[in-house]
Amino acid sequence: MDVHDLGEGEPEVAVVGAIHGDEPCGARAVRRLLDADLDLERPVRLIVANEAALDAGVRYLDADLNRAFPGDPDAEAHEERLAAELLDALDGCSTLAIHSTQSYAEPFAVVDSMDEVARAVAPHLPVDAVIQTDAFTEGRLIEHPHTLEVEAGLQGSDAAADNAYWLARAFLAATGVITAPGAESVVDAGGREDVEVFRLRDRIPKPDADVYEVFARNFERVEAGEAFAAADDEQLRADDPFYPVLLSPYGYRDQFGYVADRVGTIE
């Protein structure tokens, strides 16, 4: 784990990249921030988490780090030890964790629940939506207070790396670490007027097949009876209306993505 503290004092804000080694956009954003000579209003901690997996170009070495929290410092698995070390480094910090996805090219945010930090920060991020995942946290970093994830774009793309940098800068502006360009105060990050919020309701399982397809678009309503995916020649149709989230043919081994409800907006 590579940790950099910038500014004077103990940081209460952190940005984390490379929780997954096959998602380099966060590490690229952290390195770009280190090179940016930021004019800091308060200290910040920048972390490249799973360096070993990043160097190997794999998602993880022994276990999925984003399913391993709170971790165990005495565990045999590299990621379980790393999870405990990372949580210790993030203690007391409002945290942005940067990811990328195979399912959607535009940035969106992921939270466990809409706590005060999520409500204060999310509207200032350049994201299409916020996903509330409280029923599906399963050892993820966002189980822990004052933590937001962002999906910066398509995995491995230059666009995701660029998005990750600007998402991180918007987060730093919204948390008072830097002043946003043209803003009168450090908390005015110039974000969207409102951001749609979706809450995950269920998984969409994959039948056994050789070829998978998806027809629906993430965050766009699927009506009852509409075909949204296919496994080989079998079409899957919605029993009830829903909003698909993280829907992709091959992003997950055993599921297409998630069923979600649109629950409102934050302003």
Side-chain angles (χ1 to χ4, degrees):
M1 187 169 71
D2 189 20
V3 181
H4 299 265
D5 286 355
L6 306 182
E8 297 182 4
E10 181 67 18
E12 296 178 343
V13 177
V15 175
V16 181
I19 284 178
H20 292 136
D22 60 353
E23 299 175 9
C25 62
R28 291 174 65 180
V30 165
R31 289 163 186 154
R32 191 170 169 185
L33 289 170
L34 290 171
D35 292 339
D37 192 24
L38 300 173
D39 186 11
L40 299 179
E41 302 281 342
R42 60 189 296 206
V44 62
R45 180 163 291 161
L46 304 177
I47 300 176
V48 177
N50 201 342
E51 290 182 282
L54 182 67
D55 290 343
V58 297
R59 188 172 181 83
Y60 54 82
L61 299 185
D62 300 319
D64 189 333
L65 177 57
N66 210 29
R67 301 294 185 273
F69 294 100
D72 179 352
D74 299 318
E76 292 186 9
H78 165 70
E79 280 81 8
E80 291 182 12
R81 297 192 305 273
L82 182 58
E85 183 181 357
L86 180 56
L87 270 192
D88 184 62
L90 296 175
D91 185 40
C93 288
S94 296
T95 301
L96 181 75
I98 301 173
H99 292 265
S100 55
T101 176
Q102 296 184 32
S103 63
Y104 195 69
E106 300 303 319
F108 61 92
V110 182
V111 299
D112 175 64
S113 60
M114 293 303 301
D115 65 12
E116 64 273 20
V117 171
R119 289 184 179 278
V121 172
H124 298 287
L125 301 180
V127 295
D128 279 355
V130 175
I131 312 303
Q132 185 176 336
T133 66
D134 51 329
F136 299 95
T137 50
E138 299 168 336
R140 293 171 65 164
L141 182 58
I142 54 173
E143 281 187 302
H144 300 277
H146 304 166
T147 301
L148 292 85
E149 287 183 1
V150 287
E151 297 284 354
L154 294 176
Q155 188 173 324
S157 68
D158 289 338
D162 195 49
N163 290 341
Y165 174 71
W166 291 109
L167 285 160
R169 286 199 63 123
F171 175 78
L172 295 182
T175 51
V177 174
I178 62 174
T179 302
E184 294 182 358
S185 74
V186 293
V187 297
D188 180 8
R192 309 290 176 87
E193 291 184 2
D194 55 68
V195 178
E196 290 188 306
V197 180
F198 298 83
R199 185 172 186 267
L200 300 188
R201 173 161 42 101
D202 206 352
R203 294 182 175 89
I204 305 173
K206 275 183 178 177
D208 288 335
D210 294 321
V211 178
Y212 298 101
E213 296 179 84
V214 296
F215 312 130
R217 295 173 62 86
N218 283 288
F219 307 118
E220 294 186 9
R221 181 181 167 98
V222 174
E223 301 296 342
E226 183 179 344
F228 62 86
D232 288 337
D233 295 328
E234 178 188 356
Q235 289 192 343
L236 281 67
R237 296 184 179 274
D239 293 328
D240 301 295
F242 74 96
Y243 290 87
V245 170
L246 291 169
L247 190 71
S248 67
Y250 299 106
Y252 297 98
R253 181 179 56 83
D254 56 359
Q255 67 186 70
F256 280 106
Y258 293 90
V259 170
D261 298 311
R262 185 182 180 278
V263 295
T265 62
I266 51 176
E267 301 178 358

